[in-house]
Amino acid sequence: MKNTIAIVGRPNVGKSTLFNRLVGHRKAIMDNQSGVTRDRHYGYGEWIGKHFTVIDTGGYVHGSDDVFEEGIRRQVKLAIDEADVVLFMVDVDAGLHGLDEEFANVLRRYQGKKPIYLVANKADTNARAHAAGEFYALGVGDGDIFTISSQSGSGTGDLLDAVVSHFEDPWEEVQDEGLPKIAVVGRPNVGKSSLVNLLLGEERTIVTDIAGTTRDAIKTRYNAFGNEFILIDTAGLRRKTKVKEDIEFYSVLRSIRAMEESDVCIVMLDATRGIEAQDVNIIGLADKNRKGIVILVNKWDLVEDKETNTTKKIEEQIYEKIAPIAYPPIIFTSVLTKQRVHKAIETAIQVYENKTKKIPTSQLNEVMLRVIEEHQPPSTKGKMVRIKYVTQLPTHNPVFAFFCNLPQYVSESYTRYLENRLRENFDFGGVPIGIIFRKK
């Protein structure tokens, strides 16, 4: 990535607040509890005609044995390596902290290799701004200390003037618009982050055996099979009654929003537990939002006593549980052993293509009028329905309008018949289809 800014520092100094200000909206989760941000979180911003990428990172804690903090340290170092400019944030209100000094030791190895700015946050008053001088003792940073208030925005303009001076020509902003968005969703601890890390070939998100590790919806541009798209890792979706912490509540909201904004959802299940009620709810939510769906049964390597028809039996169980939703393809995989992982992405791309395809009206009528002639709508109350014409509407999802004399008398079973024939003839695997009847 070009023109990249990494915001780093110890926990709870206001990194996510500054990140949200630089990208122009509340994208990172903020809370008074330290350690809320865990993964590298990306956003895009612009200043005086120059566009840039901003990376928010978790709070760096030196020497801790905590599994999350160990993962955060790796993520912070990856972010620094990735960045063109590093913003080392400290807290004027709290003063010079031992963790600041430890982190300064980490940053010294980058001194002279890339610009590092010492940013003293929470300098809301002149007295606090003057107190920032004590941070010169850290011996890190290019030039003066920038005193800012990320909450109010005070001082951020001067900081950005200095930062973008290192960016060469105005960079055309990375545009997510128009790129397919594929969200990886599911219950906690089914392997979502492991799948994303495997596909990207790097530790993009922290992975542990503890459910709820991922808290933000993490977006990454990805190229595969000649297609570029946005891959979104989400927090695990669990039942409302089990969402107790405020932070987890907001994480679940972000996951639902990521699902709503996506084009295709890869819904991951745990093969060792089978399809559970919450899995059914997640698939139902994706269907309700008219998303393409691929069901990925992960941890297939852990299933013992597999027989020739085991996959067929499990497929039947899944379709039975999610009925009447019958269109998502089901893939059995193991992220750990890399079994059929790329098949999942290949299928998701195909589902996106199915979702966005437009069938020419002439072809539709040639096929579907013949289908209708073979099996006419049943009469209702002595009324005969005559379908004369069909066309695909210009919508984001496949919706077909059938023009007939008596649209109010078309039965639900006949609507399903037409949907099945559309799927058979035009391949809409993984995609919900809408059918409406209009008076001709």
Side-chain angles (χ1 to χ4, degrees):
M1 281 185 298
K2 249 178 114 178
N3 297 1
T4 303
I5 304 166
I7 307 173
V8 298
R10 67 175 178 82
N12 216 27
V13 293
K15 296 184 297 297
S16 293
T17 309
L18 178 60
F19 173 86
N20 287 336
R21 180 160 293 282
L22 296 186
V23 302
H25 57 281
R26 188 180 174 113
K27 198 172 179 187
I29 299 174
M30 298 179 299
D31 193 87
N32 289 330
Q33 176 185 333
S34 65
V36 171
T37 302
R38 288 175 176 167
D39 301 304
R40 304 194 317 280
H41 196 206
Y42 292 72
Y44 307 108
E46 179 269 334
W47 185 253
I48 59 172
K50 293 185 178 181
H51 294 85
F52 49 81
T53 300
V54 190
I55 311 175
D56 185 23
T57 63
Y60 192 99
V61 178
H62 180 76
S64 169
D65 294 329
D66 182 277
V67 65
F68 290 126
E69 288 173 350
E70 180 186 349
I72 288 169
R73 287 195 295 273
R74 290 198 303 271
Q75 292 287 321
V76 171
K77 287 177 179 177
L78 285 169
I80 296 170
D81 289 336
E82 229 177 311
D84 298 302
V85 178
V86 178
L87 303 184
F88 176 21
M89 283 194 76
V90 292
D91 182 345
V92 172
D93 189 32
L96 188 59
H97 193 286
L99 290 176
D100 296 326
E101 295 172 341
E102 289 171 352
F103 188 56
N105 292 330
V106 174
L107 285 179
R108 282 195 187 94
R109 72 190 66 168
Y110 297 94
Q111 194 90 14
K113 297 178 181 178
K114 57 183 66 185
I116 300 173
Y117 288 108
L118 190 55
V119 181
N121 189 32
K122 305 182 186 177
D124 303 279
T125 65
N126 288 332
R128 284 187 177 182
H130 288 307
E134 66 175 318
F135 293 103
Y136 280 113
L138 293 171
V140 175
D142 295 11
D144 292 332
I145 296 172
F146 284 87
T147 54
I148 71 164
S149 168
S150 54
Q151 190 72 50
S152 68
S154 172
T156 54
D158 291 337
L159 173 63
L160 282 170
D161 284 342
V163 168
V164 301
S165 69
H166 298 281
F167 302 154
E168 297 175 358
D169 299 325
W171 173 54
E172 186 176 336
E173 183 181 7
V174 175
Q175 294 291 337
D176 290 350
E177 293 302 319
L179 289 180
K181 295 182 179 65
I182 300 175
V184 183
V185 299
R187 288 184 290 104
N189 214 25
V190 293
K192 300 182 295 297
S193 294
S194 297
L195 172 64
V196 171
N197 287 342
L198 176 60
L199 291 170
L200 298 177
E202 63 168 325
E203 190 176 349
R204 177 66 181 81
T205 55
I206 297 171
V207 178
T208 73
D209 291 330
I210 302 170
T213 300
T214 301
R215 284 177 168 171
D216 266 315
I218 309 297
K219 296 183 180 180
T220 309
R221 289 168 74 96
Y222 182 67
N223 193 297
F225 310 108
N227 295 275
E228 189 170 19
F229 54 91
I230 305 298
L231 189 62
I232 310 169
D233 182 23
T234 64
L237 291 166
R238 59 177 85 203
R239 292 197 307 273
K240 286 183 181 178
T241 53
K242 292 194 174 182
V243 178
K244 295 177 181 177
E245 297 180 35
D246 285 346
I247 295 167
E248 186 177 358
F249 172 75
Y250 288 116
S251 298
V252 169
L253 286 183
R254 295 284 164 81
S255 296
I256 293 172
R257 187 180 301 167
M259 178 189 290
E260 291 170 346
E261 292 175 353
S262 69
D263 299 298
V264 178
C265 293
I266 296 178
V267 183
M268 292 188 73
L269 313 184
D270 185 334
T272 63
R273 298 175 63 172
I275 184 165
E276 300 183 335
Q278 185 61 357
D279 299 319
V280 176
N281 291 338
I282 293 168
I283 293 168
L285 183 61
D287 175 73
K288 180 182 177 182
N289 283 281
R290 314 304 286 168
K291 305 302 175 184
I293 301 174
V294 177
I295 297 175
L296 197 61
V297 183
N298 189 32
K299 306 183 185 179
W300 188 239
D301 57 307
L302 299 180
V303 176
E304 299 176 354
D305 302 323
K306 290 193 282 283
E307 299 175 359
T308 307
N309 62 345
T310 302
T311 56
K312 183 173 175 55
K313 286 181 179 177
I314 294 176
E315 283 180 355
E316 290 173 352
Q317 290 171 3
I318 291 172
Y319 285 129
E320 183 181 345
K321 288 281 184 71
I322 66 175
I325 303 168
Y327 57 84
I330 301 173
I331 299 172
F332 295 83
T333 186
S334 166
V335 174
L336 187 64
T337 64
K338 304 180 182 179
Q339 182 182 19
R340 286 188 290 275
V341 167
H342 285 95
K343 175 69 174 174
I345 290 297
E346 195 173 16
T347 303
I349 292 170
Q350 182 60 54
V351 168
Y352 175 78
E353 291 173 355
N354 292 347
K355 189 173 185 287
T356 55
K357 74 166 64 171
K358 304 298 179 187
I359 310 299
T361 300
S362 58
Q363 188 180 353
L364 260 179
N365 282 277
E366 181 184 347
V367 172
M368 294 308 296
L369 291 181
R370 185 174 66 247
V371 164
I372 292 165
E373 186 64 31
E374 291 171 358
H375 181 54
Q376 294 280 353
S379 62
T380 304
K381 299 180 181 179
K383 305 286 187 180
M384 296 298 295
V385 177
R386 302 293 183 191
I387 298 174
K388 302 294 185 181
Y389 180 76
V390 56
T391 188
Q392 184 174 357
L393 300 180
T395 54
H396 292 297
N397 300 292
V399 178
F400 298 90
F402 289 78
F403 292 85
C404 57
N405 59 334
L406 298 167
Q408 69 272 29
Y409 288 117
V410 181
S411 66
E412 188 177 332
S413 60
Y414 194 76
T415 303
R416 284 199 299 271
Y417 165 77
L418 292 177
E419 178 182 339
N420 291 336
R421 300 295 82 77
L422 280 166
R423 292 187 182 281
E424 284 176 10
N425 287 282
F426 300 108
D427 184 17
F428 284 104
V431 181
I433 290 178
I435 292 178
I436 62 174
F437 297 92
R438 290 181 174 172
K439 191 168 180 63
K440 174 74 172 174

